[in-house]
Amino acid sequence: RAYKAVLKLDDTENRAIANLITVYKEKGEFTSAENLIKSLNKKLRSDYLIKGARAGLLIEKTLYTEAEELLKDLCLHQPNDPNHWLNRAACLKSLKIIVKGTRLLKQGLKWNPENADLKQALAQGLAEMGKHEAALKSLKQTTEGQKNIKDTHLFNMQFIGAGYNLISSQERKDMAIAWEKNIKSQGVGPLWGDRYEEPTKN
């Protein structure tokens, strides 16, 4: 409702439009999202923020070819955003175009050399191509020297490491124990923050 209120004041506010498309997508209201996109003029449809939201909608609808076309343009004009590279590579993977997707991730890393998500996605692609040594190197770069490894990164380390026999069971066990000790050291707390659901209807 907040985004709709913003658009009543300014129907060209790109952030509100992009966010509203995303909200519709997450709620499964694809028709509402598509109608909103259809109502936009050519300039707004070409806005990069809105184009990213459109790509997200297409991915959710499993229209990977169409999404990849949008993301191709976003990678060209906003190469410093790692999400564009990740999403485009994911589209290609869903289309069974593994080699090209892996090459794209390498390009993305040239623009975002410290991004761990790109490195882990690259490791997955390399492992699937049978390039296990290179995959392990990319995988370990995401955790080396880090005291607090992200939960998702540790999970990927375990999954890829075990799935392709890249990391020994003892090393995976040691990583899990270190993660558990770090979690315990933070004390007991809520699993997620409290929140109140705002009613959609008065």
Side-chain angles (χ1 to χ4, degrees), residues 16-33:
I17 294 170
N19 287 335
L20 188 53
I21 293 170
T22 301
V23 168
Y24 283 141
K25 177 200 72 175
E26 292 175 350
K27 293 172 67 178
E29 298 178 7
F30 297 154
T31 301
S32 296

Side-chain angles (χ1 to χ4, degrees), residues 174-187:
D174 291 342
M175 285 190 295
I177 291 172
W179 173 83
E180 183 180 37
K181 286 182 179 179
N182 180 55
I183 293 296
K184 286 183 176 180
S185 70
Q186 298 174 24

